């Protein structure tokens, strides 16, 4: 089958659906790839790089759409592009079926099969590799901070110089989804004091881990709406949220808003009064501008100055990093293609029994299949049964009950008697080996088995290194004690070989254990 990649026609769109590196991988899956001339130029991928990767470069959009079995797109196709589409072919890309009913009807009339990457069921962990919404949101969150820094009048980080003291910028981020978290990490790395808020309380730890401070609304209500999105909150919560935003607007230099709810206009979080209260020279970056904006004064697609505050309402933040975002997006489509073509023969199979593929498929052979039925999520894991209380004294010993003094004395007495018998009747050479064996067992039990289970992960690498005491036994075998005549007894060849092997393995264990420990400790250092 032939995959076609047309030039994006939406105003300001610089991305391309497939990059040369991914073309090579699609060819290995058995597909042929055709790219419209100039499709990757805005993302710094020229036609020659596509040809070198194995793609055919087609001169016109009409020729490309007419010959393609599958079309990879970034933006939803226009009705003019749908008219060029070959009947019965497939389309993969952003479609937004809820917002584009006319487009859905036109695609269905072409008997097309349409996989909307925006309809991916994000609750599935295996769908993460295909999640273009997440990859694009990460790029836009990063770019939002760069745009804010460009419009802001001073450094993000504080400095004390001979010329004067520069205070750090205070950045407030409304919404801590993927885009918000990317913005938090970027702003914190630039040295700003970062604060963030989200209706979902569970993201507070994520905000803190990235160097931000989570600002809580003084109102108790859960805001998770499922699928990684927030839900519409009650009026009481929204009032408390507005009061918190008004306070942050007065204190902060930069506000970045990311709040969006699928299928709904962007909620208005920043009012005109809040903008007026901000310090002159402050900046607002409204990442929801394409859906109307979170700020009342946002003008989509424009950067304007109102009441001394620069309000950035760009709708092409992702396209402003076209090469990076095109690479990530094309990798998402590659992973989806791998799911559709598991046989690697260049033939796609839209398996409607697969939850991820079923969620993506909004039209199948001209039949509208959107919205997908609810996912059949696995049943919650049953809570473990309560541990029975230990039996009272005199009714037997429970598994966790400590041994009584009498039982302990008997156990040690029997062990001592057994060692005495071995010492009286066993050969001296056997006794030396037996002593090493007993000590190894004791050290192994006390160092490893007796460690609290919750501590095994950080301690196992250290205990493996410590347990390499076995190397001493191997050295004893290689260099045995002198005989009565003053000459060293030559060890058995088999024993010598085993001792050398033991030394090699324990050396690997010893150095490897400490190396792993070093890497584990480095994970906790910033």
């Amino acid at each position: 089958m032939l995959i076609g990649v047309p030039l994006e026609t939406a105003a300001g769109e610089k991305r391309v659906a497939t990059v040369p590196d991914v073309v090579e991988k699609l060819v290995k899956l058995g597909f042929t790839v055709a790219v419209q001339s100039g499709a990757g130029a805005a993302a710094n991928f020229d036609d020659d790089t596509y040809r070198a990767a194995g793609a055919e470069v087609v001169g016109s959009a009409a020729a490309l759409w007419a010959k393609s079995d599958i079309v990879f797109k970034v933006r939803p196709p226009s009705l003019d592009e749908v008219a060029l589409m070959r009947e019965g072919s497939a389309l993969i890309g952003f479609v937004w079926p809820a917002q584009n009913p006319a487009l859905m009807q036109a695609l269905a009339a072409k008997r097309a099969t349409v996989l909307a990457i925006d309809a991916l069921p994000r609750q599935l962990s295996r769908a993460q590799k295909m999640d273009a919404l997440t990859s694009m949101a990460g790029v836009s969150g990063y770019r939002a901070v760069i745009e804010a820094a460009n419009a802001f009048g001073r450094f993000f980080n504080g400095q004390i110089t001979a010329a004067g003291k520069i205070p750090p910028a205070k950045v407030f981020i409304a919404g801590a989804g993927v885009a918000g978290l990317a913005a938090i990490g970027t702003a914190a790395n630039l040295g700003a004091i970062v604060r963030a808020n989200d209706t979902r309380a569970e993201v507070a730890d994520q905000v803190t881990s990235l160097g931000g401070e989570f600002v809580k609304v003084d109102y108790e209500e859960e805001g998770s709406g499922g699928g990684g999105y927030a839900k519409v909150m009650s009026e009481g919560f929204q009032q408390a949220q507005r009061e918190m935003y008004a306070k942050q607007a007065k204190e902060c230099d930069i506000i970045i808003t990311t709040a969006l709810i699928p299928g709904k206009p962007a909620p208005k979080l920043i009012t005109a009064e809040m903008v007026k209260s901000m310090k002159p020279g402050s900046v607002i970056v409204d990442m929801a501008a394409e859906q109307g904006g979170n700020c009342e004064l946002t003008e989509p697609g424009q950067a304007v100055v109102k009441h001394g505050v620069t309000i950035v309402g760009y709708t092409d933040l992702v396209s402003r990093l076209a090469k990076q975002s095109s690479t990530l997006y094309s990798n998402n489509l590659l992973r989806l293609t791998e799911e559709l073509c598991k046989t690697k023969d260049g033939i796609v199979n839209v398996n409607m029994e697969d939850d991820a593929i079923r969620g993506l498929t909004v039209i199948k052979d001209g039949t509208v299949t959107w919205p997908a039925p609810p996912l059949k999520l696995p049943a919650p894991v049953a809570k473990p049964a309560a541990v029975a209380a230990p039996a009272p004294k005199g009714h037997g010993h429970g598994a966790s009950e400590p041994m009584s003094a009498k039982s302990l004395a008997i156990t040690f007495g029997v062990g001592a008697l057994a060692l005495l018998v071995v010492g009286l009747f066993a050969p001296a050479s056997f006794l030396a080996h037996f002593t090493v064996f007993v000590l190894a067992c004791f050290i192994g039990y006390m160092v490893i088995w007796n460690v609290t289970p919750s501590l095994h992960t950080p301690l196992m690498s250290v205990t493996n290194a410590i347990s390499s005491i076995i190397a001493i036994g191997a050295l004893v075998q290689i260099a045995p004690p002198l005989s009565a005549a003053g000459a060293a007894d030559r060890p058995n060849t088999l024993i010598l070989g085993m001792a050398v092997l033991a030394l090699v393995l324990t050396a690997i264990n010893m150095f490897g254990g400490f190396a792993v420990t070093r890497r584990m400790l480095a994970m906790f250092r910033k």
Side-chain angles (χ1 to χ4, degrees):
M1 299 180 78
L2 187 144
I3 296 174
V5 183
L7 172 68
E8 296 294 326
T9 58
E13 183 57 70
K14 298 178 181 179
R15 289 173 292 175
V16 62
T18 296
V19 301
D21 286 345
V22 171
V23 168
E24 296 178 356
K25 296 173 183 176
L26 291 172
V27 171
K28 289 180 180 178
L29 286 176
F31 296 94
T32 54
V33 182
V35 181
Q36 183 180 345
S37 179
N44 296 318
F45 298 111
D46 58 37
D47 292 346
D48 289 338
T49 59
Y50 282 104
R51 290 191 184 95
E56 175 191 357
V57 177
V58 179
S60 68
L64 181 80
W65 283 89
K67 69 188 298 185
S68 299
D69 299 303
I70 306 168
V71 176
F72 281 2
K73 280 274 293 168
V74 179
R75 294 272 186 168
S78 65
L79 294 180
D80 291 337
E81 288 177 313
V82 174
L84 300 174
M85 192 174 184
R86 183 163 62 82
E87 191 166 316
S89 56
L91 171 70
I92 301 176
F94 285 104
V95 177
W96 305 109
Q99 289 92 337
N100 296 301
L103 174 61
M104 291 286 287
Q105 292 178 6
L107 290 168
K110 283 284 187 177
R111 294 180 45 245
T113 295
V114 181
L115 279 75
I117 201 73
D118 48 275
L120 179 75
R122 303 169 79 186
Q123 302 95 317
L124 300 175
S125 58
R126 70 182 185 86
Q128 293 177 2
K129 61 185 178 181
M130 303 177 274
D131 190 358
L133 284 172
T134 294
S135 59
M136 296 300 99
V139 174
S140 61
Y142 171 87
R143 184 68 192 195
V145 176
I146 301 304
E147 294 295 339
N150 180 59
F152 191 47
R154 66 170 195 265
F155 300 143
F156 266 43
N157 62 320
Q159 294 185 15
I160 299 176
T161 69
K165 180 180 179 182
I166 303 171
K170 294 181 180 178
V171 179
F172 177 72
I173 296 170
V178 176
L181 292 173
I184 292 167
T186 305
N189 287 337
L190 288 174
I193 297 173
V194 184
R195 303 169 185 169
N197 168 262
D198 197 279
T199 57
R200 297 159 294 185
E202 65 267 20
V203 304
D205 290 340
Q206 299 175 40
V207 171
T208 304
S209 68
L210 289 171
E213 174 192 351
F214 187 79
V215 182
K216 194 174 184 296
V217 176
D218 191 17
Y219 194 98
E220 293 298 329
E221 184 176 349
E222 174 53 42
S224 180
Y229 295 101
K231 69 176 184 180
V232 179
M233 307 300 286
S234 68
E235 181 56 37
F237 182 92
Q238 292 181 37
Q239 178 59 36
Q241 187 182 53
R242 283 191 289 270
E243 294 173 0
M244 183 269 291
Y245 284 156
K247 179 181 178 182
Q248 295 300 323
K250 293 178 182 178
E251 296 179 2
C252 293
D253 304 298
I254 296 168
I255 295 178
I256 298 175
T257 65
T258 70
L260 274 177
I261 298 172
K264 296 182 181 294
K268 299 300 180 184
L269 304 179
I270 308 299
T271 64
E273 291 299 319
M274 295 180 193
V275 176
K276 290 179 182 178
S277 70
M278 295 181 73
K279 292 172 283 189
S282 298
V283 178
I284 297 174
V285 179
D286 194 339
M287 295 181 63
E290 193 166 6
Q291 300 299 322
N294 296 136
C295 176
E296 287 184 348
L297 302 181
T298 296
E299 295 185 13
Q302 303 293 325
V304 297
V305 178
K306 297 184 179 181
H307 306 295
V309 177
T310 302
I311 304 172
V312 179
Y314 296 147
T315 57
D316 60 347
L317 289 173
V318 179
S319 281
R320 289 171 180 257
L321 285 170
K323 186 167 187 175
Q324 179 69 78
S325 54
S326 296
T327 301
L328 294 175
Y329 181 71
S330 61
N331 279 325
N332 293 139
L333 295 192
L334 171 65
R335 301 309 171 202
L336 171 57
T337 308
E338 289 174 343
E339 291 294 315
L340 294 170
C341 182
K342 294 183 177 179
T343 54
K344 299 183 179 181
D345 57 357
I347 304 296
V348 298
N349 174 30
V350 182
N351 180 13
M352 300 296 274
E353 299 299 320
D354 185 310
D355 286 339
I357 303 303
R358 175 62 189 89
L360 285 165
T361 308
V362 296
I363 300 176
K364 176 73 183 299
D365 298 328
T367 301
V368 177
T369 58
W370 182 86
L375 287 175
K376 297 177 181 178
L377 297 176
V381 179
K383 293 183 179 180
V387 179
K393 292 182 179 180
H395 292 78
H397 300 288
S400 60
E401 186 177 349
M403 188 179 294
S404 66
K406 182 178 179 181
S407 299
L408 188 64
I410 293 174
T411 301
F412 271 98
V414 172
L417 182 62
L419 288 175
L420 178 63
V421 172
V422 170
L424 290 175
F425 298 101
S429 59
F430 174 81
L431 188 59
H433 297 312
F434 184 71
T435 301
V436 172
F437 173 75
V438 171
L439 288 175
C441 291
F442 178 75
I443 292 173
Y445 175 79
M446 295 304 296
V447 173
I448 299 176
W449 291 354
N450 206 29
V451 173
T452 303
S454 61
L455 298 178
H456 267 297
T457 300
L459 284 183
M460 278 304 293
S461 56
V462 177
T463 53
N464 283 342
I466 296 174
S467 66
S468 298
I469 192 70
I470 196 73
I472 296 176
L475 289 172
V476 170
Q477 297 297 336
I478 292 176
L482 297 177
S483 64
D489 294 328
R490 181 178 179 80
N492 182 278
T493 303
L494 177 61
I495 295 176
L496 180 62
M498 293 180 65
V500 171
L501 178 62
L503 275 177
V504 173
L505 295 178
T506 51
I508 295 173
N509 191 30
M510 187 181 301
F511 291 106
F514 283 114
V516 171
T517 302
R518 183 183 181 87
R519 291 186 62 181
M520 292 177 68
L521 292 175
M523 293 170 60
F524 297 94
R525 300 191 185 103
K526 187 173 180 180

